[in-house]
Amino acid sequence: MGDDPVLYQIRVDGHLGPILMTAFPAFVSEQQGGETVLTGLLPDAAALFGVLFEIESLGLDLLEVRRVRPPLHQDLGPPRAGPAKCATEPSAIEGRCSVSTEQQETLDAILRQSAFPVDSGVEEQRRLLRELTSAQPLPAEVTVESAELGGVAVAGITVDGVEPRHVVLYFHGGVYVLGDAFSSAGLASQVGRRADAKVVSVDYRLAPEHPYPAAVDDALAVYEALLEDGVAPSDIVLAGDSAGGGLAVATLVNARDHGLPLPAAAYLMSPYADLTLAGASIDTKRKADPLLSRELLEPRVTDYTAGQDASLGLISPVFADLSGLPPLLIQVGSHEVLLDDAVRLAQQAAGADVEVILDVTPGVPHVFQAYGPLLDEATAALDRAGQFLAARLTGAERVTG
């Protein structure tokens, strides 16, 4: 991770008085029309995410984040004026608005600063991830409670004002060795909010301490427990990011093979679906991806597979028989080495007569949906996912009602 402080300019709607400014001690403020511009040095990406989530928790409308590139002695000029919201639909490569392009460049720079060193081990990567996620407080309206289902630890996530008529069974990312259900609650809650659902996020066991099939077993146990508790499969959707996306598909395949009724749909964000790392984009997108690389992924594959064949369908769902699965929405960015995992997974599903939508957003990184405060495309993609999930849940109600 980079050690040099970075100068940021952050625009928010409205005027911040002296009391609100106490929440941002690292910044100086300037009023420009009906907006406030905050300018300050931050030591790392974790600090920036902390500021952005503080802005969100205070109910302020974030308009723009700029990573100021010139040296401090140069005249930086005022922040670029104009509305920040422009990515309501997947952007075409040509005609993409300049605000969105600058957001993408800013996020890319931030992520490169916070990327794991290639030679880092599991414990160091876990520590660095904890530092990053600990700086991202949950919105005040999100509640997370520890629970257990099927003998597996889970996080129950609810959003004030959302009447949960359904359940999102969520699987966090982290290449099967990092993260937990609680640190991913922010993104999971965004999915639940849009699906009018309570989220049950599975705190599955991690490798290398618990290699395959521990995560797969835990995921199926929680799904079975939901069914045994009386939740109708038509009221359940699966969702996951990165490894969690791959695990969601593996859970569908596993549930089908165990003769269980399947949920209404699944939503996969940048699924890590081929642990053989055979997709062409693992190499062709190396320079474009600010986070992941073959060199970072290969040691973690060994941690998880522990001598098992990485091409097994429950490890790498791109090689699984996907017939009979419910509708899938697969979202991925064009600036990630796992692009081909998503593309090939969609092809595998389509070849098995599964209803599938492949939604590729250009110019954005791995699990870009997690960066809503920084990136318009993140909110737009989550909104599309919410529409997809709501339609499948409503459709399942009509069929079973």
Side-chain angles (χ1 to χ4, degrees):
M1 293 192 174
D3 295 324
D4 295 333
V6 177
L7 183 67
Y8 291 98
Q9 290 182 330
I10 301 174
R11 288 195 306 128
V12 297
D13 189 31
H15 290 176
L16 274 63
I19 295 177
L20 283 179
M21 277 306 301
T22 60
F24 309 104
F27 289 83
V28 295
S29 66
E30 177 185 358
Q31 304 301 324
Q32 294 190 358
E35 303 169 0
T36 299
V37 179
L38 304 172
T39 304
L41 285 169
L42 293 175
D44 52 32
L48 175 62
F49 287 129
V51 170
L52 296 179
F53 279 87
E54 181 68 21
I55 288 172
E56 186 175 15
S57 69
L58 291 172
L60 302 173
D61 187 8
L62 176 68
L63 300 178
E64 182 183 29
V65 178
R66 297 183 66 201
R67 185 178 187 270
V68 182
R69 296 173 180 79
L72 297 183
H73 66 270
Q74 292 186 9
D75 179 12
L76 301 177
R80 178 177 39 76
K85 300 296 181 184
C86 61
T88 56
E89 297 294 338
S91 302
I93 294 297
E94 296 297 328
R96 194 166 56 211
C97 77
S98 60
V99 171
S100 178
T101 302
E102 182 165 342
Q103 289 178 343
Q104 293 168 8
E105 292 172 352
T106 297
L107 178 59
D108 183 272
I110 292 168
L111 294 180
R112 290 183 190 279
Q113 183 192 23
S114 60
F116 294 150
V118 171
D119 58 352
S120 56
V122 171
E123 290 306 319
E124 183 181 2
Q125 290 180 4
R126 287 174 175 172
R127 178 185 62 81
L128 293 172
L129 183 61
R130 282 195 300 269
E131 290 179 359
L132 186 62
T133 56
S134 65
Q136 304 176 28
L138 289 171
E141 69 273 15
V142 175
T143 301
V144 183
E145 297 179 343
S146 299
E148 187 175 288
L149 275 174
V152 178
V154 299
I157 304 167
T158 55
V159 181
D160 291 350
V162 174
E163 286 295 330
R165 299 184 297 121
H166 310 290
V167 175
V168 173
L169 183 58
Y170 193 89
F171 305 100
H172 68 84
V175 293
Y176 295 105
V177 303
L178 310 172
D180 58 69
F182 302 89
S183 62
S184 63
L187 180 55
S189 72
Q190 293 293 337
V191 179
R193 185 193 304 271
R194 288 165 170 80
D196 288 330
K198 174 182 179 178
V199 178
V200 175
S201 185
V202 182
D203 202 26
Y204 56 86
R205 290 169 291 169
L206 299 177
E209 296 86 353
H210 304 283
Y212 173 84
V216 172
D217 290 345
D218 289 352
L220 185 65
V222 174
Y223 181 63
E224 284 187 290
L226 283 174
L227 297 178
E228 291 170 359
D229 284 351
V231 182
S234 59
D235 283 331
I236 302 172
V237 293
L238 271 53
D241 65 273
S242 192
L247 184 55
V249 181
T251 302
L252 294 175
V253 172
N254 208 12
R256 179 202 64 197
D257 291 349
H258 278 78
L260 297 175
L262 297 181
Y267 169 40
L268 318 173
M269 292 171 274
S270 299
Y272 183 32
D274 178 11
L275 273 69
T276 72
L277 307 180
S281 60
I282 198 76
D283 296 313
T284 61
K285 291 293 183 177
R286 178 176 179 176
K287 291 184 178 180
D289 192 323
L291 287 173
L292 298 179
S293 66
R294 180 185 294 276
E295 291 77 13
L296 273 173
L297 291 173
E298 282 179 338
R300 306 292 79 86
V301 169
T302 302
D303 290 337
Y304 181 59
T305 57
Q308 298 281 341
D309 183 356
S311 67
L312 291 173
L314 295 183
I315 294 177
S316 297
V318 293
F319 303 117
D321 172 15
L322 304 184
S323 59
L325 267 55
L328 307 176
L329 171 60
I330 304 173
Q331 291 184 340
V332 67
S334 70
H335 281 194
E336 55 175 302
V337 297
L338 298 185
L339 171 62
D340 277 354
D341 283 39
V343 173
R344 292 160 61 219
L345 184 64
Q347 290 174 335
Q348 185 79 346
D353 294 325
V354 173
E355 179 186 340
V356 59
I357 299 172
L358 176 63
D359 181 351
V360 182
T361 297
V364 298
H366 187 62
V367 194
F368 66 95
Q369 298 88 343
Y371 306 108
L374 279 170
L375 193 65
D376 292 343
E377 286 90 342
T379 300
L382 286 167
D383 288 345
R384 294 194 299 276
Q387 294 167 4
F388 168 84
L389 295 175
R392 271 63 189 181
L393 288 164
T394 302
E397 286 177 352
R398 286 199 299 267
V399 170
T400 60

